[in-house]
Amino acid sequence: MGTPRGSSDIHLRKPVLQDDRRLYVSTRAPYGQPRDLSVLSQGSVVYNKALNRYLYTSWTEYTFEFYEAPAPWGPWKKFLSKDYGGYPWTDTKNGGYSATIPSKFISTDGKTMYVQSNTFMGGLENYNFSLRKLVVEPRVATTPSNAKSDTANLAVPANGTRAIEKSAHFGNLAWLNNGYLNDNEDSWDQENKTLDWWGYTWPRHYNLNKVSYTTGGMFTDGGWFSGNLWVQVRQNGKWINVTNLRTSPHYPLTSAAGANRTYTFVFNDTWGDGVRVIGTPGGSSHFTSIGELAVYHARSVTPGLLQDSGFENQTSGTVSFPWYVQGTDTKGIDRGLGFAHGGANNGWIRTSSSNWNALKQDVAVTPNTNYVLTAWIRSSANVVGGYFGVCTVPGTIISELNYGFLPDYTSRSVTFNSGSNTTVSVFAGYWAPGADSFIQVDDFTLTRL
């Protein structure tokens, strides 16, 4: 680090690159296979003259790791990790030993390179000279300036769009934005993935608020997202969740998502130099599929009247703004526990009392206007006194419905007229039956009719 100093005393040596990560820890690697892998291993350093950067490539048995530095002594930074999944490997995954970037094949602008590696695994011999294409785009600070348009798809090649994915079974990433909805690429790679994604990056920042995701094929062992489905944008090199995400139609998180069906995700106006649809892959083989992915900064996206409608902005297990609680019994937020209807979080109430408890939010409305309120609710078998609806802020019911046992998340809706009110309170709660009982709620929407 800093200015290098030479010495004949080996005891004065200092590391120039330290990465203590471990990949495929014991809870993830299949039994009997390599696990707890260090990330610094066989590899080499090459100087990319056009980018004025030294590049170090390494491998971990399952992944390639990439680092860059302005000088051989650093500071080194990881800029890419490519995971090819655990064993068994097929001939599409050959490559590992001595990952290098031959200087001969670096493009004039330095952005296109080729990674050379080879391996012997399970009878599949590949000690030949084997190359994989690597394209990099140095980050440049830009200000997004694209205007809103319902027809201008940002995922066009002219924008420098590059498709990104966790894994591409067939390598046909050009299919993601070729205009044909009936294609199929999928992420099947024999790995028990916990996250999967499809998306794009750009060489500049764009404004955006809408993504249209068309599924690919559905298979007996996968092809769909099974949970934690969300949209993320890349800002300053980090992936962050969009806010106020709404999906139309509702994505079922099962194979019922269907082949070559389009799901539109809209969210609050944001910006980034990348976007992706991300979630837990479904099926026994843990993979998803895609036919097409379009991205827009649309005019027609109406901001949701509710805030934090899916509890995704809740930062702890305690209910916080804009939501609040009614009643004295236990309530909270499930965060990333797999209980959500959509996204990662949901609200809940659980009690053994016979009291009334509810989750509520106050919402600004236009007087004398018709609305429809919808939420997804799940409840224990002994719930009979569940109520969902809208009231005035003092607590007078405007419209509500009664629900009972809902073994799976079920959509419930009420319509109402706001009357003279400028603010109403939406709620979901229940009169407990005097025994252990619960409700879970998620994905509220309030729409003006």
Side-chain angles (χ1 to χ4, degrees):
M1 304 288 287
T3 304
R5 291 184 301 156
S7 173
S8 59
D9 185 353
I10 194 171
H11 297 97
L12 296 178
R13 70 190 187 279
K14 299 288 185 180
V16 297
L17 171 57
Q18 182 170 339
D19 192 332
D20 297 326
R21 288 178 300 139
R22 294 284 176 168
L23 302 182
Y24 280 80
V25 294
S26 57
T27 57
R28 183 182 176 196
Y31 178 76
Q33 295 183 10
R35 61 190 67 200
D36 299 318
L37 304 171
S38 62
V39 293
L40 300 181
S41 184
Q42 297 180 12
S44 69
V45 175
V46 67
Y47 178 61
N48 187 315
K49 182 177 180 179
L51 301 182
N52 192 25
R53 279 296 186 270
Y54 291 85
L55 304 177
Y56 169 62
T57 51
S58 181
W59 78 296
T60 70
E61 193 82 19
Y62 302 137
T63 74
F64 288 154
E65 306 293 324
F66 299 85
Y67 305 81
E68 60 88 12
W73 49 88
W76 288 90
K77 296 180 181 179
K78 180 177 73 73
F79 70 90
L80 177 64
S81 178
K82 179 61 179 177
D83 192 333
Y84 289 97
Y87 299 130
W89 278 8
T90 67
D91 57 359
T92 62
K93 295 185 181 179
N94 275 346
Y97 297 149
S98 302
T100 64
I101 297 178
S103 58
K104 179 178 180 179
F105 302 111
I106 297 177
S107 64
T108 303
D109 64 2
K111 297 180 180 181
T112 301
M113 294 163 278
Y114 290 85
V115 180
Q116 198 289 133
S117 61
N118 43 63
T119 191
F120 168 81
M121 176 59 204
L124 298 173
E125 296 186 30
N126 182 17
Y127 285 122
N128 299 315
F129 188 73
S130 303
L131 298 175
R132 284 188 176 93
K133 190 175 184 179
L134 170 67
V135 179
V136 299
E137 187 69 48
R139 185 175 296 116
V140 177
T142 60
T143 300
S145 60
N146 56 303
K148 289 192 172 184
S149 169
D150 292 330
T151 58
N153 181 6
L154 299 174
V156 293
N159 287 339
T161 305
R162 293 194 182 279
I164 58 172
E165 85 296 336
K166 173 64 177 68
S167 182
H169 184 182
F170 304 104
N172 295 321
L173 293 183
W175 288 0
L176 273 63
N177 57 350
N178 65 0
Y180 295 98
L181 303 184
N182 293 326
D183 288 335
N184 174 72
E185 178 58 274
D186 62 62
S187 63
W188 180 88
D189 64 358
Q190 299 175 302
E191 180 192 358
N192 293 338
K193 297 185 290 295
T194 57
L195 278 179
D196 205 3
W197 60 83
W198 303 99
Y200 301 111
T201 60
W202 298 284
R204 57 163 296 122
H205 294 108
Y206 286 100
N207 296 309
L208 62 157
N209 57 14
K210 176 180 175 181
V211 172
S212 291
Y213 162 58
T214 302
T215 62
M218 293 291 132
F219 307 88
T220 58
D221 57 348
W224 61 90
F225 286 100
S226 62
N228 302 312
L229 182 59
W230 210 251
V231 174
Q232 294 182 330
V233 292
R234 191 175 70 176
Q235 296 179 351
N236 301 319
K238 296 182 179 180
W239 290 100
I240 63 172
N241 288 346
V242 300
T243 57
N244 200 18
L245 182 70
R246 292 96 74 199
T247 308
S248 179
H250 165 66
Y251 188 93
L253 299 174
T254 68
S255 60
N260 301 118
R261 294 181 185 172
T262 298
Y263 295 87
T264 299
F265 299 85
V266 296
F267 39 91
N268 290 345
D269 288 357
T270 187
W271 58 272
D273 62 358
V275 65
R276 64 183 182 180
V277 176
I278 185 171
T280 304
S284 59
S285 293
H286 307 274
F287 69 95
T288 62
S289 66
I290 189 168
E292 191 82 3
L293 192 68
V295 185
Y296 301 92
H297 186 214
R299 292 191 184 95
S300 58
V301 173
T302 303
L305 299 172
L306 283 161
Q307 300 181 64
D308 195 17
S309 57
F311 303 95
E312 299 304 314
N313 294 336
Q314 300 288 300
T315 58
S316 74
T318 302
V319 178
S320 62
F321 181 83
W323 294 96
Y324 62 95
V325 301
Q326 184 179 33
T328 59
D329 295 327
T330 306
K331 312 168 190 68
I333 305 296
D334 290 320
R335 300 180 65 240
L337 299 181
F339 301 142
H341 170 259
N345 301 346
N346 63 274
W348 59 268
I349 304 170
R350 185 170 185 174
T351 180
S352 297
S353 76
S354 56
N355 300 327
W356 166 259
N357 292 271
L359 298 176
K360 304 185 72 175
Q361 183 180 147
D362 297 340
V363 185
V365 292
T366 302
N368 303 307
T369 302
N370 292 323
Y371 293 88
V372 59
L373 172 69
T374 300
W376 292 81
I377 306 173
R378 180 164 59 187
S379 62
S380 59
N382 55 351
V383 169
V384 294
Y387 288 90
F388 164 70
V390 185
C391 64
T392 64
V393 173
T396 302
I397 298 298
I398 299 174
S399 179
E400 69 176 3
L401 60 80
N402 171 235
Y403 64 88
F405 176 38
L406 301 173
D408 299 309
Y409 272 113
T410 304
S411 177
R412 289 289 182 260
S413 298
V414 295
T415 58
F416 67 96
N417 185 280
S418 55
S420 61
N421 297 291
T422 57
T423 304
V424 298
S425 181
V426 304
F427 66 87
Y430 74 111
W431 289 98
D436 185 36
S437 56
F438 73 87
I439 67 168
Q440 293 170 315
V441 295
D442 201 2
D443 293 334
F444 285 70
T445 58
L446 179 62
T447 305
R448 181 173 175 169
L449 296 177

